[in-house]
Amino acid sequence: MSEKKLIKSYMLRKGRMSDGQRLAYEKLKDVHCLSYEDKSIDFKKIFPDSGKHFLEIGFGMGDVTHAIAEKNPQNAYIGIEVHSPGVGKLLSEIDKKGLKNLKVIEHDAVEVITNMIADESLDGIHIFFPDPWQKTKHYKRRLIQPDFTRLIATKIKPGGYLYAVSDWEDYAQQILQVFSEEEMLENKFSDWAEPIEWRTETKFERKGLKKNHLIREVFFKRKE
Ligand SMILES: C[S@@+](CC[C@H](N)C(=O)[O-])C[C@H]1O[C@@H](n2cnc3c(N)ncnc32)[C@H](O)[C@@H]1O
């Protein structure tokens, strides 16, 4: 994993934090963010009343993240993102809606998952529209590769799920193939999943739809 960890699946885009996002970021970071630590998260301590525990990787502006958390107050959610304006936006939504069941970690998801998430501790993982890294020479920067898939599969409880969506056809094909080849996982569908009714539209989904891209859903379970 050490060599793989050097490959970043994201490019930090500079600036462009609106005044509102900056204000929310500065005021709310210490309230709704969890710091990156080399230690497993104690879900029961952070969310004492929660039933199930879910993780979203690369939430972007977090539009789906807060919508799902709001609809499911009985569950606990952690969103991971490295893009500060998106973190600021999600923090302001958490505050506005008074959500007690959603926390944010601003850090590289690979490190967070490796060091902060205990094995078999999650009921589900969401990865919506991961960066497609369109040029062939950049494919190695795509987040969803066999090693990463093995890593996240180990964090899901038996019977829990892994749900990814992409509008980038060859990346979607790669995701379907890599998940299919991971022996801890099984497809809930024969190949592509039906659209899952509780997932609302994301910013990157809207961009894809404007370009007439097909939205591909991939939904696997960790084997019991
Ligand atoms: C194409 S955007 C999609 C955002 C959002 N899910 C949506 O659908 O609108 C992918 C996001 O993943 C984030 N990302 C990529 N690799 C990451 C990593 N290793 N750790 C945390 N976030 C990451 C990027 O910063 C970016 O915001």
Side-chain angles (χ1 to χ4, degrees):
M1 199 77 195
S2 53
E3 199 185 326
K4 289 257 164 7
K5 269 171 80 174
L6 298 174
I7 296 174
K8 293 252 180 284
S9 59
Y10 56 87
M11 180 98 84
L12 278 181
R13 288 157 281 161
K14 290 212 183 89
R16 293 218 307 262
M17 211 192 237
S18 71
D19 289 348
Q21 285 161 1
R22 181 168 306 286
L23 212 64
Y25 184 81
E26 280 161 12
K27 187 174 130 211
L28 303 170
K29 195 154 90 87
D30 294 340
V31 186
H32 303 299
C33 281
L34 302 175
S35 308
Y36 172 73
E37 285 183 296
D38 196 354
K39 184 172 128 213
S40 288
I41 290 171
D42 183 346
F43 279 97
K44 277 286 158 211
K45 201 165 158 198
I46 300 168
F47 306 105
D49 303 322
S50 66
K52 295 186 172 180
H53 306 135
F54 299 89
L55 195 70
E56 182 178 346
I57 300 168
F59 59 72
M61 301 310 281
D63 22 21
V64 172
T65 322
H66 63 79
I68 293 176
E70 185 180 24
K71 267 189 230 147
N72 298 282
Q74 74 286 6
N75 294 334
Y77 297 86
I78 292 180
I80 309 174
E81 180 54 69
V82 286
H83 181 55
S84 304
V87 172
K89 177 76 171 59
L90 183 56
L91 292 176
S92 71
E93 292 295 337
I94 294 174
D95 200 53
K96 228 188 282 170
K97 293 182 168 179
L99 300 176
K100 302 272 179 263
N101 61 335
L102 172 57
K103 294 280 182 198
V104 173
I105 303 179
E106 185 181 4
H107 198 84
D108 183 342
V110 179
E111 290 189 339
V112 171
I113 294 164
T114 305
N115 297 317
M116 296 183 73
I117 306 294
D119 288 355
E120 302 192 358
S121 63
L122 296 172
D123 293 277
I125 296 182
H126 305 158
I127 312 177
F128 302 143
F129 303 90
D131 292 301
W133 291 103
Q134 298 161 25
K135 294 184 183 154
T136 317
K137 66 175 180 183
H138 289 148
Y139 281 6
K140 60 178 180 293
R141 300 190 68 161
R142 287 179 168 176
L143 185 65
I144 301 179
Q145 313 268 357
D147 282 359
F148 181 72
T149 302
R150 165 57 59 104
L151 172 72
I152 55 181
T154 61
K155 306 297 175 179
I156 301 172
K157 294 175 188 167
Y161 70 80
L162 177 53
Y163 177 25
V165 187
S166 178
D167 66 314
W168 205 261
E169 184 64 21
D170 76 281
Y171 194 15
Q173 296 278 358
Q174 175 178 332
I175 295 169
L176 182 63
Q177 183 180 346
V178 169
F179 285 6
S180 302
E181 286 170 2
E182 171 47 60
E183 60 187 22
M184 280 191 279
L185 300 174
E186 64 189 342
N187 199 345
K188 282 283 290 168
F189 297 81
S190 54
D191 45 44
W192 305 115
E194 301 290 334
I196 308 289
E197 98 314 302
W198 47 258
R199 186 182 66 77
T200 50
E201 206 172 73
T202 80
K203 182 178 168 194
F204 275 81
E205 180 167 17
R206 281 189 287 283
K207 286 187 178 185
L209 287 168
K210 269 196 194 147
K211 294 183 203 151
N212 291 322
H213 288 182
L214 198 59
I215 307 300
R216 295 292 202 185
E217 315 245 349
V218 183
F219 195 100
F220 278 60
K221 284 213 142 187
R222 173 143 176 202
K223 288 179 188 164
E224 301 273 356

